[in-house]
Amino acid sequence: MPKVFDVVVIGGGPGGYAAAIKCAQLGLKVACIEKYINKNGKPALGGTCANVGCIPSKALLDSSWKYHEAREALAVHGITTGDVKIDVKTMVERKDTVVKKQTDGVAMLLQMNGITWLQGEGKLLAGKRVEFSPHEGENETLEATYVILASGSSPIKIPVVPLVDGLVVDNAGALDFTEVPKRLGVIGAGIIGLELGSVWARLGAQVTVLEAQDTFLPIVDRQVSRETFKQLTKQNLDIKLSARVTGSTVKGNEVEVAYTDANGEQKLTVDKLIVAVGRRPYTEGLLAVDSGVTLDERGFIFVNGQCRTDVPGVYAIGDLVRGPALAHKATEEGVMVAEMIAGHTIHINYDCIPSVIYTHPEVAWVGLSEEQAKARGEEYKTGSFSFAANGRAVAANETAGFVKVVADKRTDRILGVHIIGPQASELIMQAVIAIEFCGSVEDLQLMVFAHPGLSEVLHEAMLDVDGKAIHSAKKKRK
Ligand code: FAD
Ligand code: NAD
């Protein structure tokens, strides 16, 4: 007899496990199939995010920032630290402990919600049946009223730069270096390249980032990406644009990277090389030929705005489908699908999903950039305000960056907010709330912000839209 569930979820990352938990909370009988085996050979939930993505990268970003501060940012406060050293082994072990806490936490949540965690691989068959191949034991076929596909994404590989254990690595390998490389190469000046490049640069590596495009961070508002470039190049990150990698050769303990730029063929020799050129949806072994689920031209599972695939009762969420590859987007899609399965109506505002790059300063944005507003033909106005003119930022010695607002000129509605600066990852949520509530610039101008606070920079940027900022030398109202 096949095992029967109301819902079978394939994938236990932030999309899949959130969907499973919400389904269980709504009274459904749920199984979650997850095949991941961690570096200690143990099955683990949590997906890319908890195991080799968001959480471990932030653990290393936090450790490396503390090291940087202890070495270089405390003297100004009158604090003498002496000879500050980094023990990479301890730093990486702490990161592993953080990961274990997260993944064990997810396992506990599944257990407490009565969800069956099936350790192995899932494949969608025709008729909403799922073939389960356990790590140990016989294959079995499960029957489900609903199936949620949440198998995530995997790193894109460059055929001319094959991975070599410990030397040429993807995002997972870059979290486990055993020592600080003297010279680190990074292919791709995207979010992963900049975050992981920052980790090792703070610890003393000379980091060279090779980026194929001629524009730095094209997804980010131009003014903000220019400032980000400026700030990161001050931090041992040598970012080369229009640098197309053509190959790599391992020579002993070094890697020679060949690339072309405006001046022709170039060579770069490094001690470690990180390949971070994007991610692609992971559908390997996921779909039987007759599953009925279709892919789009870029290999994403084809879904509508509510994550429904072409097969009634089969949903797909997270990195597997269109939209930004972000953990919080995956989670919200998982919750939305679970609510829909339980008969509730819920939707996601895809125009209001925040993005953060956890460099220093942090970069965060939501909504339209100035370039996007222009391209859409919006009549827009902008305002900005610098952290250098904010008392709290000055007190904290964190004055780099600014907040920029893009708003509709006719209606005053806030269209986008873009931040580079201290705690941008937290500040951006004020903008998310304002945009979700259809807030206008005037709404935020009239609010009282606590002093002294970094949020006052957001307030002043809103005031600046109409030339009304207080701590500004500008005299005229716009
Ligand atoms: P995943 O997290 O990839 O989970 C999918 C799971 O499905 C995996 O565990 C996989 O083993 C399993 N699986 C696949 N196929 C099968 C199968 N056939 N059977 C059973 N199991 C299967 N996002 C943020 O929002 N903030 C960040 O700070 C951030 N930092 C990142 C840093 C790095 C280095 C990386 C690589 C990514 C980062 N991301 C971040 C992106 C984030 O990790 C992903 O967007 C998120 O994990 C996607 O969730 P998901 O559930 O769709 O897929
Ligand atoms: P990305 O798409 O952000 O950046 C990849 C970069 O590599 C691009 O700039 C691209 O032009 C460049 N590139 C591609 N091929 C190249 C080549 N042959 N030579 C040189 N450069 C090349 O991808 P990523 O950094 O790998 O990250 C993947 C996704 O993971 C992100 O899009 C993001 O959604 C997610 N992520 C999010 C966070 C966060 O939220 N803080 C952190 C890390 C990752």
Side-chain angles (χ1 to χ4, degrees), residues 11 14-15 34-35 47-49 53-54 58 122 150-152 171 318-319 325-328:
E34 170 55 67
K35 69 175 181 177
T48 303
C49 168
C54 323
K58 268 79 250 178
S151 57
N171 62 280
D319 282 11
L326 295 172
H328 41 288

Side-chain angles (χ1 to χ4, degrees), residues 95-106:
K95 177 266 295 176
D96 292 339
T97 308
V98 171
V99 167
K100 189 168 182 321
K101 270 193 190 144
Q102 289 296 119
T103 56
D104 287 356
V106 175

Side-chain angles (χ1 to χ4, degrees), residues 241-430:
L241 300 177
S242 303
R244 183 159 286 281
V245 174
T246 52
S248 67
T249 318
V250 172
K251 292 184 173 166
N253 287 331
E254 295 182 339
V255 187
E256 198 174 86
V257 189
Y259 66 98
T260 54
D261 64 13
N263 299 318
E265 289 180 9
Q266 310 288 343
K267 280 206 162 54
L268 172 76
T269 303
V270 292
D271 303 301
K272 305 269 183 209
L273 180 64
I274 302 175
V275 182
V277 293
R279 297 182 65 83
R280 62 154 51 103
Y282 183 72
T283 51
E284 215 171 285
L286 180 70
L287 306 170
V289 273
D290 58 351
S291 73
V293 167
T294 54
L295 307 184
D296 70 16
E297 64 286 354
R298 292 166 61 213
F300 291 100
I301 288 195
F302 183 77
V303 289
N304 71 3
Q306 292 180 310
C307 295
R308 293 178 199 272
T309 69
D310 287 340
V311 179
V314 177
Y315 297 84
I317 59 173
D319 282 11
L320 196 51
V321 303
R322 82 285 173 270
L326 295 172
H328 41 288
K329 177 257 192 188
T331 298
E332 293 312 317
E333 286 183 336
V335 170
M336 171 178 76
V337 163
E339 293 279 6
M340 286 190 314
I341 287 173
H344 308 146
T345 307
I346 180 170
H347 83 287
I348 290 171
N349 181 359
Y350 284 97
D351 292 332
C352 199
I353 297 178
S355 293
V356 179
I357 308 178
Y358 292 84
T359 46
H360 197 95
E362 292 180 339
V363 179
W365 67 96
V366 62
L368 295 186
S369 65
E370 183 169 354
E371 293 72 31
Q372 287 168 330
K374 197 180 285 175
R376 282 198 195 181
E378 303 278 356
E379 266 189 67
Y380 68 90
K381 52 186 180 176
T382 64
S384 61
F385 198 80
S386 166
F387 284 96
N390 171 263
R392 190 69 206 272
V394 173
N397 209 24
E398 291 281 359
T399 52
F402 57 88
V403 174
K404 175 173 173 181
V405 181
V406 181
D408 190 308
K409 205 168 188 172
R410 293 155 305 160
T411 64
D412 201 41
R413 187 170 169 171
I414 303 164
L415 300 175
V417 173
H418 310 270
I419 308 175
I420 172 167
Q423 296 182 37
S425 57
E426 302 297 332
L427 292 177
I428 198 63
M429 287 315 298
Q430 301 180 22

Side-chain angles (χ1 to χ4, degrees), residues 60 105 206 252 262:
L60 295 186
Q206 177 55 52

Side-chain angles (χ1 to χ4, degrees), residues 49-331:
C49 168
N51 289 286
V52 289
C54 323
I55 301 301
S57 60
K58 268 79 250 178
L60 295 186
L61 279 159
D62 282 343
S63 295
S64 58
W65 186 251
K66 286 189 193 306
Y67 172 76
H68 165 86
E69 279 196 312
R71 266 173 73 97
E72 290 171 40
L74 297 185
V76 72
H77 296 276
I79 302 168
T80 309
T81 48
D83 189 13
V84 178
K85 292 201 178 106
I86 180 72
D87 175 359
V88 173
K89 187 167 171 278
T90 304
M91 181 182 78
V92 169
E93 280 171 4
R94 187 196 84 94
K95 177 266 295 176
D96 292 339
T97 308
V98 171
V99 167
K100 189 168 182 321
K101 270 193 190 144
Q102 289 296 119
T103 56
D104 287 356
V106 175
M108 195 176 74
L109 277 173
L110 257 55
Q111 192 190 10
M112 283 165 55
N113 280 284
I115 297 160
T116 307
W117 171 15
L118 297 171
Q119 297 173 0
E121 191 160 322
K123 177 188 262 187
L124 179 71
L125 309 175
K128 286 183 291 178
R129 285 169 311 124
V130 173
E131 183 180 86
F132 168 54
S133 313
H135 291 316
E136 284 166 22
E138 301 281 302
N139 285 9
E140 54 183 315
T141 303
L142 316 174
E143 279 181 9
T145 316
Y146 300 95
V147 177
I148 302 174
L149 304 173
S151 57
S153 63
S154 59
I156 292 176
K157 294 191 171 107
I158 321 180
V160 292
V161 184
L163 300 187
V164 179
D165 208 19
L167 269 184
V168 183
V169 298
D170 61 12
N171 62 280
L175 301 167
D176 281 335
F177 290 155
T178 50
E179 57 186 10
V180 181
K182 222 168 161 193
R183 300 157 301 173
L184 173 66
V186 179
I187 309 182
I191 309 185
I192 293 181
L194 297 178
E195 288 188 354
L196 295 180
S198 292
V199 165
W200 298 104
R202 291 169 190 174
L203 300 178
Q206 177 55 52
V207 180
T208 307
V209 185
L210 302 173
E211 168 57 52
Q213 299 188 75
D214 57 1
T215 312
F216 178 64
L217 286 177
I219 46 167
V220 176
D221 185 275
R222 268 338 40 227
Q223 252 175 294
V224 175
S225 69
R226 271 198 297 273
E227 181 66 18
T228 310
F229 189 89
K230 196 175 108 194
Q231 294 296 332
L232 293 181
T233 47
K234 282 192 207 161
Q235 300 174 23
N236 276 346
L237 284 154
D238 178 9
I239 303 166
K240 297 186 187 300
L241 300 177
S242 303
R244 183 159 286 281
V245 174
T246 52
S248 67
T249 318
V250 172
K251 292 184 173 166
N253 287 331
E254 295 182 339
V255 187
E256 198 174 86
V257 189
Y259 66 98
T260 54
D261 64 13
N263 299 318
E265 289 180 9
Q266 310 288 343
K267 280 206 162 54
L268 172 76
T269 303
V270 292
D271 303 301
K272 305 269 183 209
L273 180 64
I274 302 175
V275 182
V277 293
R279 297 182 65 83
R280 62 154 51 103
Y282 183 72
T283 51
E284 215 171 285
L286 180 70
L287 306 170
V289 273
D290 58 351
S291 73
V293 167
T294 54
L295 307 184
D296 70 16
E297 64 286 354
R298 292 166 61 213
F300 291 100
I301 288 195
F302 183 77
V303 289
N304 71 3
Q306 292 180 310
C307 295
R308 293 178 199 272
T309 69
D310 287 340
V311 179
V314 177
Y315 297 84
I317 59 173
D319 282 11
L320 196 51
V321 303
R322 82 285 173 270
L326 295 172
H328 41 288
K329 177 257 192 188
T331 298

